[in-house]
Amino acid sequence: MAALGVAKVPYEKWLKCMVPLFGIWVLIGTIEIAFATMIGWS
């Protein structure tokens, strides 16, 4: 939050950028875990 304040970036604008990115990261992680489970890598 301090970095956003110093950079004068509104929280709403930052959130609009980060939510889709976070969703992509979650999707990729889920796919990777599912693939690792399917091939028996543990």
Side-chain angles (χ1 to χ4, degrees), residues 15-40:
L15 200 60
K16 284 181 184 178
C17 178
M18 288 307 296
V19 168
L21 183 60
F22 183 72
I24 291 169
W25 289 342
V26 169
L27 181 64
I28 290 171
T30 303
I31 291 169
E32 289 176 349
I33 290 171
F35 179 71
T37 302
M38 283 190 286
I39 65 172

